[in-house]
């Protein structure tokens, strides 16, 4: 089940790639109360719509919960608008929109970074959107930049040449995924004559042929005020903001209409007729009528897990059946209690199943995806899938199922709109795709009225076997073995001299005026206390929204596994919700899903991460369920076997992914075999783990005095304290908790290069680094500033500027310190075409040597500090993020005032601190370099 406002089906052009702060693992008695009625929450209250004389639609919504604003520009153009031979041109243009303008011929990512903006962009089927969230005093600056690139973007030979390479790198990265390749084949078969059948990102063949004139014409056709919606949400005053909008966007004129845009109005009438005919032809085909089903599409290619995808045509977003279709989807795939999860996953046929309805400007589709469990046949999964769909068509759903589905959908919209960026996203999506920002209110009102008969009718109408397109991915490497490896010579073959670092003073002349207003002193501090049994609690009441965000950690992570039982911590965590002394797995699932709430556990290196969310009225149920599974989990044997099979499937997928395999090889090259961070699950270790192992691990490591819980949301602290004491009061631990002694890990003695070959891949992934520092290391804040300069941002950093932006060698390159309780890796990660891997590595090494030999400039240093501190208030604007920050600070042994004092600690870093950090932490001659991917990315002659 996917919530529509975030079903952005295009490919994200990601800038904010951050390192998860984990040491060595980069993955990372009250009666139930009724859920908060969705009618009490308005998503559009306070929204003001203004249409400028040039046709630009402006939506403003004041939200004064945090001192930040979000600015988004949504263009009504996506892959739907592309003609034959230009598949991917919308996506290519999205990339070029960051290359600068005639007035500001500089990478816009650097400008956004200098403002402290958390920014991104995406292209989808119907829309392309650009968004940034900043401190409120940067609003005018963001508006100025967005208005500038709406009209004046630089689209020249130099820009297109470098960005074509980046886009092709991105596309080849997707080719690494068997799921992507299967989806492409299924969609082309399902929609052979429609643009929706083509990949949003485009094809390498088309991208290579794009001309400057072609892309420029596309830009001039669709990037025009009358074809765009500007959304502003957050802490601002509407009238002054609209005055700035008028001064920036208002002066832009509509584009001179060419024939293509004029045809859009004519096409609308044609598309309306197509929608009518499509929906009626679907409805007319009765499932009881004998039909000739299409033969499955079968891909037999290198890969790991077997995959199934089924697609059914749907009407467009404005069709009256949409609410019933979405509830149908929730009943089929919405959580553990859903029909397809029970039929496919709980039966052991599949490792996972998911679904989603794509309801777009034109008729869309419903998609079901399943991953086979080890040894299971896709044909059998398809048979059980069809039986489940037929049952839904033949019998009305129960009132319990429908009520649960409605609650899940309604709650998901409230929980998904807790921050202003998400609220702006919701408004922009509805205005662009549905033609009215108020669509969400009508949609949710219609959801509340859907009957069981309407859901059954939707199933009969749209889950028609005659309309189904189904595809199977059958891996030719089902054992998941990753292939061969070789050791490199330790030296790259190219001499490379990087350009001079970008001068922030030069950059500053292109920045619109903005003040610096970072002030975290007003940030409320959490209340911190410890229960009698040692359980640590942090509470931060926030009454702005009727939601609860729970973050927690139990010191029971993979560091306690050991090599022989690698995977034990994760298997234990994943089995917690499989049953307690009073509730089985399905009862536990329904307890939460009936309320639209969620609770999950996952093991990282240094702990088990606990994540929970729900409406505030349901906090007692959430806490009671958490306490029940932490104290009373029973680990049923049958569920352990199912979770073991899922873990084995996950392992195969990881070993078939250059990112997963590369990370493992990299980490095991850094940490010796006796180090807790060396161990990774293997098929052999997973198969040897018994139920007794889980029980022993659970009884040893799940203790109140090794557990920390953080709660942020709408609650009364006094009542929550009483509830926590009540439900956790009987949980006791004996003796002292287990403690690991971490061996010291020195820098590698020499530069080491390793390569792993994975057959059938199109793109290589490279990791470069060594062991780094812990979070409490006194050099940590200097290291953050250093990293911001080096590779903290894939567009504005030295690595991003040189390797990605100037040379176009990678879609993404970034660096980070995984600083946890213990020292974790410092690493640089990049994705490259196979033939570009060695050149990108050489460029990276040269940049590291330049940094080591020349240091950083005063201007760079100050700009990096400003960027970090300016973006920090945006982190604090999302209650879910705040709960995670509070938890992390506590687990890492920092004071509760760290959430307030962090910007001051960054500002206190001196140039002397920076130079010391470079001397201590940048070691170009002592790196471990691991490249995983196609065989032709391996160093020649190694």
């Amino acid at each position: 089940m996917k919530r529509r406002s975030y079903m952005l089906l295009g490919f994200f052009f990601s800038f904010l790639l951050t390192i998860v702060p984990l040491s060595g693992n980069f993955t990372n008695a009250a009666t139930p109360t009724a859920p908060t009625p969705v009618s009490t929450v308005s998503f559009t209250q306070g929204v003001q719509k203004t249409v400028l004389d040039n046709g630009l639609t402006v939506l403003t919504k004041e939200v004064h919960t945090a001192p930040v604003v979000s600015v988004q520009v949504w263009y009504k153009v996506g892959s739907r608008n592309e003609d034959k031979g230009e598949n991917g041109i919308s996506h290519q243009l999205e990339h070029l929109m960051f290359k600068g303008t005639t007035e500001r011929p500089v990478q816009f990512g650097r400008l956004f970074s200098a403002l402290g903006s958390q920014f991104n962009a995406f292209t989808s089927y119907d829309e392309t959107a650009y968004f940034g969230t900043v401190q409120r005093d940067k609003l005018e600056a963001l508006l100025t930049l967005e208005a500038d690139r709406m009209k004046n973007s630089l689209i020249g030979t130099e820009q297109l040449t470098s960005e074509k390479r980046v886009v092709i790198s991105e596309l080849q990265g997707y080719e690494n995924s068997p799921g992507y390749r299967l989806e492409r084949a299924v969609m082309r078969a399902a929609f052979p004559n429609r643009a929706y059948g083509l990949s949003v990102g485009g094809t390498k063949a088309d991208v290579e042929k794009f001309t400057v004139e072609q892309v420029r014409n596309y830009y001039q056709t669709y990037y025009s005020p009358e074809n765009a919606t500007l959304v502003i949400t957050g802490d601002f005053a509407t009238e002054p903001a609209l005055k700035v909008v008028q001064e920036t966007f208002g002066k832009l004129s509509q584009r001179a209409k060419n024939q293509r845009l004029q045809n859009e109005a004519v096409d609308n009438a044609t598309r309306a007729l197509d929608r009518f005919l499509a929906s009626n032809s679907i409805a007319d085909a009765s499932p009881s009528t004998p039909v000739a089903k299409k033969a499955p599409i079968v891909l037999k290619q290198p890969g790991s897990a077997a995959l199934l995808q089924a697609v059914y045509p749907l009407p467009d977003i404005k069709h009256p059946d949409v609410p019933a279709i979405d509830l149908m989807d929730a009943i089929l795939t919405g959580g553990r209690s859903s029909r397809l999860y029970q039929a496919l996953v709980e039966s052991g046929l599949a490792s996972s199943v998911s679904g989603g309805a794509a309801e777009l400007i034109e008729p869309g589709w419903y998609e079901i995806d399943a991953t086979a469990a080890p040894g299971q046949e896709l044909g059998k999964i398809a048979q059980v899938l069809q039986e489940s769909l037929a049952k839904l068509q033949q019998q009305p759903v129960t009132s319990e199922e429908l009520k649960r589905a409605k609650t899940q959908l309604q709650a998901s919209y409230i929980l998904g709109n807790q921050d202003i960026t998400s609220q702006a996203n919701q408004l922009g999506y509805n205005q662009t795709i549905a033609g009215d920002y108020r669509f969400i209110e009508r949609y949710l009102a219609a959801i509340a009225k859907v009957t069981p008969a309407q859901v059954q009718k939707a199933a009969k109408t749209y889950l028609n076997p005659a309309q189904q397109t189904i595809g199977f991915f059958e891996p030719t490497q089902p054992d998941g073995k990753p292939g061969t490896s070789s050791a490199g010579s330790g030296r790259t073959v190219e001499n490379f001299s990087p350009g001079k670092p970008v001068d922030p003073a030069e950059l500053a002349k292109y920045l619109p005026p903005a003040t610096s207003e970072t002030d975290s002193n007003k940030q409320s501090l959490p209340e911190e206390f410890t229960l009698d049994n040692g359980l640590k609690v942090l509470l931060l009441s926030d009454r702005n929204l009727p939601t609860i965000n729970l973050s927690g950690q139990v010191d029971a992570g993979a560091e306690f596994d050991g090599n022989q039982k690698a995977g034990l911590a994760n298997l234990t965590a994943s089995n917690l919700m499989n049953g307690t002394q009073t509730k089985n797995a399905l009862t536990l699932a329904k307890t939460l899903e009936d309320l639209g709430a969620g609770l999950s556990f996952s093991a990282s290196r240094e702990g088990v991460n606990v994540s929970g969310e729900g409406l505030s009225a349901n906090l007692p149920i959430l806490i009671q369920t958490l306490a029940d599974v932490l104290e009373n989990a029973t680990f049923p044997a049958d569920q352990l076997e199912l979770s073991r099979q899922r873990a084995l499937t996950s392992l195969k997928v990881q070993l078939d992914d250059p990112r997963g395999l590369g990370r493992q090889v990299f980490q095991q090259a850094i940490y010796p075999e006796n180090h807790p961070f060396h161990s990774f699950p293997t098929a052999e270790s997973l198969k040897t783990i018994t139920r007794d192992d889980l029980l022993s691990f659970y009884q040893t490591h799940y203790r109140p005095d090794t557990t920390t819980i953080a709660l942020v949301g709408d609650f009364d602290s006094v009542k929550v304290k009483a509830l926590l004491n009540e439900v956790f009061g009987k949980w006791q631990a004996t003796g002292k908790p287990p403690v690991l002694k971490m061996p010291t890990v020195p820098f590698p003695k020499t530069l080491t290069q390793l390569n792993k070959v994975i057959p059938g891949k199109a793109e290589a992934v490279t990791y470069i680094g060594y062991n780094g520092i812990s979070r409490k290391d006194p050099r940590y804040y200097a290291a953050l500033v250093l990293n911001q300069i080096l590779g903290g941002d894939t567009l504005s950093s030295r690595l991003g500027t040189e390797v990605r932006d100037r040379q176009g060698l990678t879609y993404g390159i970034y660096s980070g310190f995984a600083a946890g309780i213990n020292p974790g890796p410092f690493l640089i990660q990049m994705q490259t075409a196979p033939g570009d891997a060695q050149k990108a590595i050489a460029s990276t090494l040269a940049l590291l040597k330049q940094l080591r030999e020349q240091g950083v400039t005063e201007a760079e240093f100050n700009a990096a500090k400003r960027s970090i501190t300016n973006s920090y208030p945006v982190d604090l604007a999302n209650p879910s993020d705040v709960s995670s920050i509070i938890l992390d600070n506590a687990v890492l042994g920092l004071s509760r005032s760290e959430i307030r004092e962090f910007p001051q600690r960054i500002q206190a870093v001196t140039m002397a601190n920076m130079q010391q950090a470079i001397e201590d932490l940048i070691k170009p001659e002592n790196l471990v370099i691991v490249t995983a991917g196609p065989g032709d990315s391996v160093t020649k002659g190694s």
Side-chain angles (χ1 to χ4, degrees):
M1 185 184 82
K2 302 174 186 175
R3 202 164 60 78
R4 177 174 31 258
S5 63
Y6 292 92
M7 189 167 40
L8 305 173
L9 300 167
F11 301 116
F12 282 75
F13 183 20
S14 297
F15 304 138
L16 300 174
L17 299 170
T18 55
I19 294 292
V20 180
L22 305 175
S23 291
N25 189 14
F26 299 93
T27 52
N28 131 30
T31 55
T33 54
T36 302
V38 76
S39 58
T40 65
V41 178
S42 172
F43 296 93
T44 60
Q45 183 177 1
V47 176
Q48 180 174 318
K49 179 181 177 181
T50 305
V51 180
L52 304 188
D53 291 343
N54 60 11
L56 179 72
T57 298
V58 184
L59 302 177
T60 54
K61 181 182 181 181
E62 294 184 28
V63 185
H64 302 288
T65 55
V68 295
V69 291
S70 186
V71 172
Q72 304 191 5
V73 182
W74 289 64
Y75 294 95
K76 193 174 181 179
V77 59
S79 59
R80 175 180 68 93
N81 304 89
E82 296 168 359
D83 288 337
K84 184 178 180 181
E86 61 179 24
N87 182 213
I89 195 169
S90 303
H91 177 229
Q92 180 71 75
L93 177 56
E94 174 217 311
H95 279 240
L96 287 166
M97 289 288 284
F98 288 87
K99 300 296 279 188
T101 66
T102 52
E103 294 187 9
R104 295 177 174 85
V106 62
Q107 167 58 253
F108 263 44
R110 294 184 211 133
L111 299 178
F112 292 136
S113 181
L115 293 172
S117 175
Q118 293 192 4
F119 63 99
N120 214 322
F122 69 86
T123 306
S124 191
Y125 295 96
D126 294 331
E127 77 275 17
T128 307
Y130 304 82
F131 45 101
T133 303
V134 294
Q135 291 185 86
R136 59 190 171 197
D137 63 305
K138 311 296 191 304
L139 173 59
E140 182 174 350
L142 266 194
L143 292 171
T144 301
L145 292 174
E146 290 295 353
D148 187 18
R149 65 175 173 173
M150 179 179 280
K151 181 180 181 181
N152 304 312
S153 279
L154 279 175
I155 301 174
T157 302
E158 180 184 348
Q159 291 82 13
L160 181 58
T161 299
S162 70
E163 214 58 34
K164 270 188 184 183
R165 293 188 71 175
V166 172
V167 167
I168 290 170
S169 170
E170 180 182 358
L171 296 180
Q172 291 184 171
Y174 300 136
E175 291 290 335
N176 282 351
S177 166
Y180 170 82
R181 302 198 298 270
L182 177 63
E183 180 177 36
R184 178 176 57 198
V186 170
M187 290 296 289
R188 283 177 177 174
F191 303 107
N193 301 312
R194 296 181 58 201
Y196 284 164
L198 298 175
S199 301
V200 172
T203 64
K204 181 180 179 182
D206 280 0
V207 169
E208 287 177 332
K209 295 175 185 175
F210 290 155
T211 66
V212 170
E213 182 182 23
Q214 186 181 15
V215 179
R216 191 179 289 154
N217 285 341
Y218 199 82
Y219 168 66
Q220 292 173 347
T221 297
Y222 291 107
Y223 279 57
S224 185
E226 75 276 18
N227 199 48
T229 296
L230 169 67
V231 186
I232 309 171
T233 56
D235 192 16
F236 67 96
T238 300
E239 291 309 313
L242 286 176
K243 183 179 178 182
V244 176
V245 170
Q246 186 62 51
E247 292 169 352
T248 51
F249 287 90
K251 65 183 181 183
L252 305 181
S253 58
Q254 296 185 8
R255 303 282 192 187
K257 298 292 192 299
N258 62 23
Q259 191 60 44
R260 183 167 184 165
L261 196 54
Q262 290 173 353
N263 289 340
E264 286 285 311
V266 177
D267 288 347
N268 284 340
T270 305
R271 288 178 181 137
L273 178 61
D274 289 343
R275 286 196 298 267
F276 175 79
L277 294 174
S279 60
N280 277 275
S281 65
I282 294 168
D284 289 343
S286 169
S288 61
T289 306
V291 292
K293 292 177 64 176
K294 299 179 190 175
I297 298 160
V298 179
L299 298 186
K300 294 185 177 183
Q301 298 174 356
S304 51
L307 309 174
L308 174 150
Q309 183 177 78
V311 165
Y312 304 83
L314 287 184
D316 63 85
I317 193 171
K318 295 182 181 179
H319 196 284
D321 286 349
V322 161
I325 291 168
D326 288 355
L327 287 168
M328 173 191 78
D329 171 43
I331 289 166
L332 285 172
T333 67
R336 189 168 188 167
S337 62
S338 66
R339 291 193 177 191
L340 291 183
Y341 191 98
Q342 289 295 312
L344 295 176
V345 180
E346 292 289 2
S347 68
L349 286 173
S351 291
S352 65
V353 65
S354 62
E359 294 135 345
L360 307 171
I361 290 177
E362 296 178 25
W365 63 92
Y366 181 59
E367 176 181 320
I368 298 172
D369 299 279
T371 301
Q376 297 295 335
E377 295 293 327
L378 290 171
K380 176 64 175 176
I381 293 174
Q383 176 188 336
V384 174
L385 169 63
Q386 191 54 53
E387 290 170 356
S388 299
L389 301 184
K391 183 178 179 181
L392 187 61
Q393 294 169 327
Q394 294 159 8
Q395 301 173 12
V397 299
T398 67
S399 57
E400 177 193 3
E401 282 182 300
L402 185 56
K403 182 180 179 182
R404 182 185 307 125
K406 288 182 179 182
T407 301
Q408 285 180 321
L409 263 178
Q410 293 167 344
S412 73
Y413 277 92
I414 298 173
L415 293 166
N417 279 280
Q418 295 185 83
D419 62 286
I420 62 162
T421 302
S422 300
Q423 292 176 42
N425 202 321
Q426 182 79 64
L427 294 171
Y429 184 90
N430 285 327
Q431 182 65 36
T432 305
I433 310 305
D436 184 358
Y437 72 89
R438 296 164 296 190
F439 174 81
I440 178 64
E441 308 286 7
R442 296 196 301 274
Y443 168 79
L444 289 173
I447 287 286
K449 297 176 183 177
V450 171
T451 65
Q454 288 173 313
V455 174
Q456 184 183 13
K457 179 175 179 289
K460 285 182 178 180
T461 303
Y462 302 109
L463 301 179
N464 187 338
Q467 299 289 333
Q468 179 197 68
T469 304
I470 192 167
F472 297 160
F473 181 89
E474 297 180 354
T476 57
Q477 240 183 315
D479 56 1
K481 292 180 180 177
T484 60
S485 64
S486 62
S489 63
R491 301 291 174 189
T492 52
V493 295
E494 299 164 89
N495 292 316
F496 176 75
S497 178
K500 290 183 178 180
V502 175
D503 182 2
E506 180 70 15
L507 191 67
K509 70 183 184 183
Y510 299 118
L511 278 170
T515 60
S516 184
E517 186 184 79
T518 304
D519 181 12
S520 58
N521 288 329
K522 296 178 182 178
Q523 169 63 41
S524 298
L525 298 182
E527 183 179 357
E528 182 177 328
F529 58 94
T530 302
L531 303 186
D532 291 342
N533 58 10
L535 190 149
K536 185 184 288 186
V537 179
L538 299 109
L539 300 179
L540 185 58
S541 180
D542 179 353
R543 313 309 289 262
N544 289 303
L545 289 167
T547 59
I548 294 295
N549 296 276
L550 183 151
S551 297
Q553 177 166 314
V554 184
D555 297 342
E559 62 187 2
F560 291 107
D561 277 355
N563 293 320
Q564 299 305 311
K565 297 290 183 180
L568 175 58
N570 200 53
L571 267 183
T572 305
S574 64
N575 275 270
L576 289 172
M577 294 290 288
N578 282 338
T580 67
Q581 293 171 9
T582 56
K583 294 178 179 178
N584 63 21
L586 183 57
T587 303
L588 281 171
K590 287 182 177 180
T591 298
L592 297 173
E593 290 169 8
D594 283 350
L595 305 173
L599 181 64
S600 62
F601 303 85
S602 62
S604 64
R605 282 286 165 194
E606 294 189 329
V608 170
N609 304 311
V610 185
S611 179
E613 63 177 7
L615 302 181
S616 52
N618 303 319
L619 176 60
I621 300 296
L622 192 62
I623 294 296
Q624 289 159 12
T625 305
L626 173 63
D628 194 18
V629 297
L630 288 179
E631 299 177 48
N632 305 310
T634 53
F635 304 99
D638 57 340
Q639 289 290 344
L640 169 58
E641 291 311 310
L642 290 174
S643 62
R644 189 198 313 277
Q645 294 305 307
R646 290 194 289 271
L648 288 167
T649 301
S650 178
L651 176 62
K652 287 182 180 181
V653 171
Q654 178 185 326
L655 294 179
D656 186 53
D657 184 341
R659 294 169 300 176
L661 179 62
R663 185 202 72 190
Q664 177 173 330
V665 173
F666 170 77
Q667 193 155 309
Q668 291 187 323
I670 293 173
Y671 297 104
E673 195 169 334
N674 67 338
H675 196 286
F677 292 176
H678 180 91
S679 68
F680 278 81
T682 64
E684 292 73 23
S685 70
L686 289 171
K687 289 174 182 176
T688 63
I689 294 171
T690 66
R691 180 174 179 271
D692 285 343
D693 291 328
L694 263 67
L695 283 168
S696 176
F697 191 89
Y698 176 68
Q699 291 161 359
T700 301
H701 297 286
Y702 283 74
R703 309 163 49 103
D705 54 353
T706 62
T707 300
T708 306
I709 297 171
L711 280 169
V712 175
D714 179 23
F715 54 76
D716 181 290
S717 296
V718 174
K719 292 181 180 178
V720 171
K721 283 183 187 178
L723 174 66
L724 292 169
N725 275 300
E726 177 186 354
V727 297
F728 285 108
K730 295 179 182 178
W731 191 22
Q732 299 294 324
T734 57
K736 292 186 177 181
V739 177
L740 282 173
K741 185 175 182 180
M742 292 285 182
T744 301
V745 179
F747 288 111
K749 292 181 180 179
T750 59
L751 187 146
T752 304
Q753 189 161 1
L754 303 171
N755 298 278
K756 280 286 184 179
V757 177
I758 310 180
K761 300 305 171 186
E763 193 82 341
V765 175
T766 297
Y767 293 88
I768 301 173
Y770 34 65
N771 190 42
I773 59 174
S774 70
R775 176 61 176 86
K776 293 187 79 173
D777 190 298
R779 300 167 294 183
Y780 174 76
Y781 299 101
L784 275 189
V785 180
L786 167 62
N787 186 68
Q788 181 70 17
I789 295 168
L790 175 63
D793 185 299
T794 203
L795 284 183
S796 66
S797 64
R798 287 194 184 185
L799 287 169
T801 297
E802 186 63 45
V803 183
R804 185 210 178 280
D805 202 42
R806 190 176 75 82
Q807 298 187 66
L809 294 175
T810 175
Y811 168 56
I813 182 169
Y814 62 94
S815 63
F817 288 88
I821 298 171
N822 300 290
F826 161 72
L827 68 75
I828 297 167
Q829 180 182 342
M830 68 180 89
Q831 167 189 315
T832 59
D836 289 338
Q838 292 307 313
K839 186 175 181 182
I841 290 168
S843 301
T844 299
L845 295 185
L847 282 163
L848 289 172
K849 290 174 183 175
Q850 180 190 64
L851 181 62
R852 174 80 182 184
E853 294 165 3
Q854 301 175 20
V856 302
T857 67
E858 188 86 31
E860 263 188 311
F861 173 67
N862 291 327
K865 292 203 294 185
R866 281 196 303 272
S867 180
I868 295 171
T869 56
N870 284 343
S871 67
Y872 186 63
V874 180
D875 295 329
L876 301 182
N878 187 331
S880 178
D881 291 345
V882 171
S883 71
S884 296
I885 292 170
I886 289 172
L887 174 76
D888 290 344
N889 288 344
V891 168
L892 292 165
L894 306 173
S895 75
R896 67 191 184 101
S897 62
E898 174 69 16
I899 192 171
R900 178 183 288 175
E901 296 170 357
F902 174 79
Q904 286 74 41
R905 299 189 194 281
I906 292 293
Q907 289 293 357
V909 175
T910 65
M911 276 293 278
N913 299 146
M914 171 64 56
Q915 191 54 48
Q916 189 64 51
I918 293 172
E919 187 176 329
D920 293 348
L921 304 175
I922 302 299
K923 305 285 186 181
E925 306 299 328
N926 306 92
L927 293 162
V928 170
I929 304 172
V930 174
T931 299
D936 51 357
S937 61
V938 174
T939 309
K940 298 295 185 287
S942 60

